[in-house]
Amino acid sequence: MPKPLVAANWKMHKTLRETEEYLRRLLALVGAEPPVELAVCPPFTALARAAELLAGTPIALGAQNGHPQREGAFTGEVSMYQLADLGVKYVICGHSERRRLFGEADAFVAEKVRAAWAYGLVPILCVGETLEERRAGRAWEVVERQLSAALGDGLSGPLVIAYEPVWAIGTGVPAHPQDAQAMARRIRAWLLARYGPLGEEVRIQYGGSVKPENAREFLGLPEIQGALVGGASLDPESFWRIALSASAPSP
Ligand code: PEP
């Protein structure tokens, strides 16, 4: 199993100047050999500059989205191919904000995952249920549907799965760690049943209101190999404290 991956999803935040300032501060904290893998996913406008600043450092560059077509008449879109050209390593696919606010369906998410692999990127596939679905006892049914749709053609490259209950994202109310653990265990069992030993290589992150104060509760769980962090990643010190929780010995 590779090192845990702690990834920052800045969403629609930060100017170019703020990006430069953030990355300088984060690089000063991280040093040459951080105990976990770190990735930062800035907005598209800052990707090229972030690629320059992160080249040769231990912090990987990620993107928040990517279009599966290589090029074409898709006004406003940026392709996986263009991301790869910039030196992007990770790309978030199927974030619940994109599913909910931009109508992205399972089939489109599947296209993105396939395209990410085709261009040498590592997809961070987001899955998770709404509160209504959880209350109705349908959490696994929903996650299983999202997994099957996105990965139905098999694993064609390295993969990260972010389990992000929709109701925990940006609300300040995280999932109960035991629920996150139980879901991660089901995801792992599903991966192993479908893909055999390859399923062991997939890192499963938890995402949803992770902060420095609660990170250890998630990152110390045996089934969780990292976190996808939104709000609390916007400050480099806070993000670094979360990352350090992934490498601290279990309490
Ligand atoms: C996210 O956007 O993936 C996320 C987990 O956000 P937050 O940490 O703010 O809940």
Side-chain angles (χ1 to χ4, degrees):
M1 178 69 63
K3 279 184 188 178
L5 172 68
V6 181
N9 174 15
W10 290 359
K11 313 193 189 200
M12 200 170 69
H13 290 282
K14 296 199 188 293
T15 62
L16 212 46
R17 169 88 54 97
E18 288 163 348
T19 300
E20 290 170 345
E21 167 69 13
Y22 179 106
L23 293 179
R24 286 203 179 97
R25 280 166 59 195
L26 183 62
L27 284 165
L29 292 167
V30 165
E33 277 188 48
V36 295
E37 197 181 339
L38 291 160
V40 174
C41 307
F44 286 139
T45 48
L47 276 177
R49 184 68 184 120
E52 286 168 3
L53 291 170
L54 295 180
T57 77
I59 303 176
L61 183 61
Q64 299 173 23
N65 188 25
H67 195 281
Q69 294 293 321
R70 178 185 163 120
E71 57 193 12
F74 299 98
T75 301
E77 291 293 317
V78 174
S79 75
M80 302 281 180
Y81 171 70
Q82 291 168 318
L83 297 176
D85 179 54
L86 273 185
V88 167
K89 177 171 181 184
Y90 293 100
V91 60
I92 299 173
C93 298
H95 192 282
S96 66
E97 286 156 13
R98 297 221 54 91
R99 293 180 192 259
R100 188 167 49 87
L101 302 173
F102 300 97
E104 290 191 4
D106 285 338
F108 193 44
V109 176
E111 277 186 58
K112 290 182 185 213
V113 169
R114 281 196 298 270
W117 282 327
Y119 295 114
L121 304 175
V122 180
I124 300 178
L125 170 64
C126 298
V127 295
E129 79 287 356
T130 62
L131 193 55
E132 293 68 35
E133 289 161 343
R134 174 157 284 273
R135 286 188 175 143
R138 296 182 48 231
W140 171 245
E141 178 194 320
V142 170
V143 168
E144 206 272 336
R145 189 204 74 223
Q146 293 169 336
L147 291 171
S148 295
L151 306 174
D153 294 344
L155 296 186
S156 311
L159 173 70
V160 178
I161 293 176
Y163 168 56
E164 300 207 305
V166 176
W167 44 273
I169 296 177
T171 59
V173 182
H176 193 285
Q178 290 319 313
D179 290 337
Q181 156 96 341
M183 184 59 85
R185 184 177 293 143
R186 289 190 91 153
I187 294 172
R188 176 74 61 204
W190 185 92
L191 289 167
L192 293 174
R194 281 229 173 178
Y195 310 115
L198 264 188
E200 203 67 74
E201 300 299 310
V202 176
R203 282 174 288 182
I204 302 175
Q205 299 176 313
Y206 167 75
S209 297
V210 174
K211 324 177 238 259
E213 297 73 31
N214 65 19
R216 187 73 200 125
E217 292 171 33
F218 296 97
L219 294 167
L221 295 169
E223 308 291 341
I224 306 272
Q225 297 87 38
L228 183 56
V229 189
S233 76
L234 292 172
D235 173 76
E237 281 79 19
S238 156
F239 181 53
W240 176 235
R241 280 173 61 205
I242 292 170
L244 285 179
S245 308
S247 65
S250 292

